[in-house]
Amino acid sequence: MTITPAAEPRAARTFPQDFLFGAATAAYQIEGAAHEDGRTDSIWDVFCRVPGAVVHADNGEVACDHYHRYADDVALMADLGLQTYRFSTSWSRVRPDGGQVNKQGLAFYSKLVDQLLEKNIKPWLTLYHWDLPQALEEKGGWANRDTAYRFAEYAATVHDVLGDRVDAWTTLNEPWCASFLSYIGGEHAPGRQDVPAGLAAAHHLLLGHGLVVQELRKRDPALQLGITLNLTVADPVNPDDAGDLDAARRIDGQFNRFFLDPIFRGRYPEDVLRDVAGNGFETVVQPGDLGIISTPIDALGVNYYHGEFVSAKPGLQETTTAAPSERPKRSPFPAADGVYWHSRGLPQTAMDWDVQPEGLTRLLRRVHDEYSGPAGVAIAVTENGAAYDDVVLADGSVDDVDRRSFLTAHLGAILDAVDDGVPVTGYFYWSLLDNFEWAWGYDKRFGIVRVDYETQARTPKASAIEYSRIIGERAL
Ligand code: FCB
């Protein structure tokens, strides 16, 4: 008889002492009360009315009704042990139509922040999570340079009221989505398909970011100012194939370097500028803009869901059996025509996104080595999470094993980066609650807390319970 030795008990992996555990949401995805207390349409309210733009014609009119339930939601965060909460303010609530200041809208965020502080939860505020006032879109939206200045004005209004209580300020969430996906791909509001407009939007978003950093820094040098980018690792399917290498370069260029280079180096990457030549981008960038955009920041937020595995030869897109409503994965970026996504054969989430935690370790190392490290800027993972088709058991509980292992695997990937010397200061799981997942409506559930949209009941899933344990022990 052979005796198998018992597995060595695995030593717990602990998190750095000041590492912050949190969860993230965004205004339009959870608040509801879309036309209450003076709020007017944002581009998402209008986009949701376009037939076919959002599945089941879902919208954020009620969403998770967080506008009325914020106190209970904060109590829930406290029960879970969250140390920080990343949320966004809605421009259309604070300055409806991009115009006059709306005291009632501001009062909501003021109460929310008070509630968080009372429970010892650090507010981590994002000023723009995609919900531009529709009135500003009608004046050209982000393709209009003036929107960058209106953004700085709105940011100052929010700071007037919350500046005494909020330290962590993020200008933009994922400008890639707010420009390329929205103004070129047409998949997000405002649903435009216009290459020069998308490129201009990207630049004006970055300009708005820089203007806000300058304004808030001037008001209070002690604030922690930053931006959140959706970054990725782009790997060539065949690293010996020049076409595949170029596909990976172009994807890296549009997702990562197009945003990181102006912020950290004060210039757009030459190769990407060559890729997009002929779209009028040269005339959009005015003298002095890059100096504003590269105004030093304190924190870089990294949103990571999965990497890209790309080739110059057809792959996934050609073989997919996805329903027609599920658009094939393609890039809205003008210079990425002829880039094909391939399968790595990894497990996938309900979004058909690869579960690829090692990509997060590589990404954090690279961003630290090439950008944030030399600038002395801290990194936080401001979004990471997974949608799964949750099953509610007879007792009402949700045993979301896949999400639980997604969470622990990615926290492990962060610790791998920390072990390699990357100073990661925090992690925000996306999302606290199941919520309105943009073009997917309520079909895709990312929450560690289930939301029953009929009753608005909140139920922490097994992943929430596991996260809570990890936070309590500060160890995996
Ligand atoms: C990110 C968004 C966030 C959420 C997740 C799944 O791109 O910032 O609002 O939709 O994806």
Side-chain angles (χ1 to χ4, degrees):
M1 175 178 136
T2 50
I3 296 173
T4 325
E8 283 284 310
R10 210 167 49 88
R13 300 185 73 189
T14 53
F15 286 85
Q17 222 173 5
D18 44 10
F19 189 91
L20 290 173
F21 292 97
T25 65
Y28 191 68
Q29 295 180 272
I30 65 163
E31 285 179 2
H35 297 94
E36 256 180 75
D37 293 343
R39 185 188 177 283
T40 56
D41 276 352
S42 76
I43 52 176
W44 270 95
D45 296 280
V46 173
F47 188 64
C48 289
R49 292 180 204 129
V50 176
V54 173
V55 289
H56 317 309
D58 283 344
N59 58 56
E61 207 64 39
V62 176
C64 305
D65 195 32
H66 172 74
Y67 190 75
H68 300 114
R69 295 166 193 264
Y70 71 93
D72 289 346
D73 287 340
V74 174
L76 179 59
M77 295 175 213
D79 286 348
L80 294 175
L82 298 189
Q83 299 174 282
T84 179
Y85 172 56
R86 175 174 179 254
F87 64 99
S88 76
T89 49
S90 153
W91 192 339
S92 303
R93 234 183 248 300
V94 170
R95 297 189 73 128
D97 297 335
Q100 294 306 305
V101 175
N102 175 24
K103 289 218 170 73
Q104 281 177 294
L106 281 162
F108 167 70
Y109 297 110
S110 193
K111 287 184 294 184
L112 171 65
V113 165
D114 281 345
Q115 204 67 228
L116 289 166
L117 293 175
E118 200 185 301
K119 299 279 187 193
N120 218 3
I121 299 170
K122 181 186 171 73
W124 189 290
L125 186 154
T126 300
L127 287 160
Y128 187 71
H129 202 126
W130 307 352
D131 45 358
L132 183 74
Q134 173 66 16
L136 294 184
E137 175 58 26
E138 281 159 22
K139 293 182 183 153
W142 284 108
N144 177 357
R145 184 178 173 90
D146 187 57
T147 301
Y149 297 91
R150 301 286 75 78
F151 180 53
E153 198 176 78
Y154 148 68
T157 303
V158 180
H159 182 266
D160 284 342
V161 173
L162 302 181
D164 58 337
R165 285 160 290 157
V166 175
D167 298 327
W169 294 75
T170 300
T171 54
L172 305 173
N173 177 69
E174 302 190 353
W176 181 90
C177 291
S179 54
F180 302 147
L181 191 64
S182 305
Y183 283 81
I184 300 177
E187 292 182 34
H188 277 188
R192 283 162 69 175
Q193 292 183 301
D194 177 340
V195 173
L199 288 164
H203 179 69
H204 296 146
L205 279 153
L206 286 170
L207 179 63
H209 153 78
L211 291 169
V212 171
V213 172
Q214 292 191 339
E215 174 63 23
L216 297 193
R217 182 75 77 213
K218 192 173 75 198
R219 289 166 162 236
D220 182 353
L223 297 178
Q224 179 207 291
L225 304 176
I227 185 168
T228 276
L229 303 175
N230 50 316
L231 302 177
T232 193
V233 282
D235 295 319
V237 169
N238 177 359
D240 297 323
D241 182 287
D244 288 10
L245 283 169
D246 197 56
R249 175 193 67 75
R250 285 184 282 157
I251 296 306
D252 177 53
Q254 64 151 306
F255 281 100
N256 302 326
R257 294 181 289 114
F258 191 90
F259 298 94
L260 288 166
D261 282 21
I263 292 167
F264 286 99
R265 299 179 179 163
R267 57 174 191 264
Y268 284 103
E270 288 296 330
D271 61 315
V272 185
L273 290 182
R274 273 196 304 277
D275 289 344
V276 300
N279 289 294
F281 191 62
E282 321 68 63
T283 60
V284 167
V285 183
Q286 296 194 5
D289 285 3
L290 285 155
I292 296 171
I293 294 170
S294 57
T295 305
I297 54 172
D298 311 297
L300 175 68
V302 173
N303 289 0
Y304 172 82
Y305 288 90
H306 58 84
E308 324 292 325
F309 195 47
V310 292
S311 167
K313 299 185 192 74
L316 204 57
Q317 211 169 347
E318 271 26 56
T319 57
T320 184
T321 52
S325 61
E326 294 175 13
R327 306 174 187 98
K329 184 162 173 53
R330 65 188 167 81
S331 168
F333 199 64
D337 283 349
V339 173
Y340 297 94
W341 271 260
H342 285 235
S343 167
R344 292 180 204 255
L346 291 170
Q348 294 191 323
T349 69
M351 299 293 282
D352 295 338
W353 293 348
D354 283 351
V355 179
Q356 194 196 339
E358 62 77 26
L360 178 56
T361 313
R362 275 197 284 147
L363 175 62
L364 292 169
R365 258 198 249 125
R366 187 255 180 127
V367 171
H368 172 68
D369 288 350
E370 295 182 27
Y371 295 97
S372 53
V377 168
I379 304 182
V381 174
T382 41
E383 277 182 39
N384 168 251
Y388 287 107
D389 297 326
D390 295 328
V391 176
V392 184
L393 301 176
D395 64 358
S397 65
V398 180
D399 189 17
D400 55 341
V401 269
D402 288 338
R403 187 175 292 103
R404 226 174 50 197
S405 43
F406 184 98
L407 171 71
T408 51
H410 286 81
L411 285 171
I414 291 173
L415 284 181
D416 291 343
V418 170
D419 288 348
D420 290 346
V422 184
V424 185
T425 58
Y427 175 81
F428 295 81
Y429 178 81
W430 181 274
S431 180
L432 174 71
L433 304 170
D434 290 338
N435 60 42
F436 174 75
E437 178 47 34
W438 309 113
W440 291 99
Y442 297 98
D443 267 7
K444 304 292 179 194
R445 293 176 177 270
F446 278 86
I448 46 174
V449 174
R450 181 175 178 86
V451 175
D452 177 329
Y453 295 112
E454 296 294 312
T455 63
Q456 291 293 350
R458 274 68 162 146
T459 309
K461 306 175 190 176
S463 54
I465 295 158
E466 175 72 357
Y467 193 30
S468 186
R469 185 197 61 76
I470 294 168
I471 300 171
E473 294 173 7
R474 301 193 61 81
L476 271 187

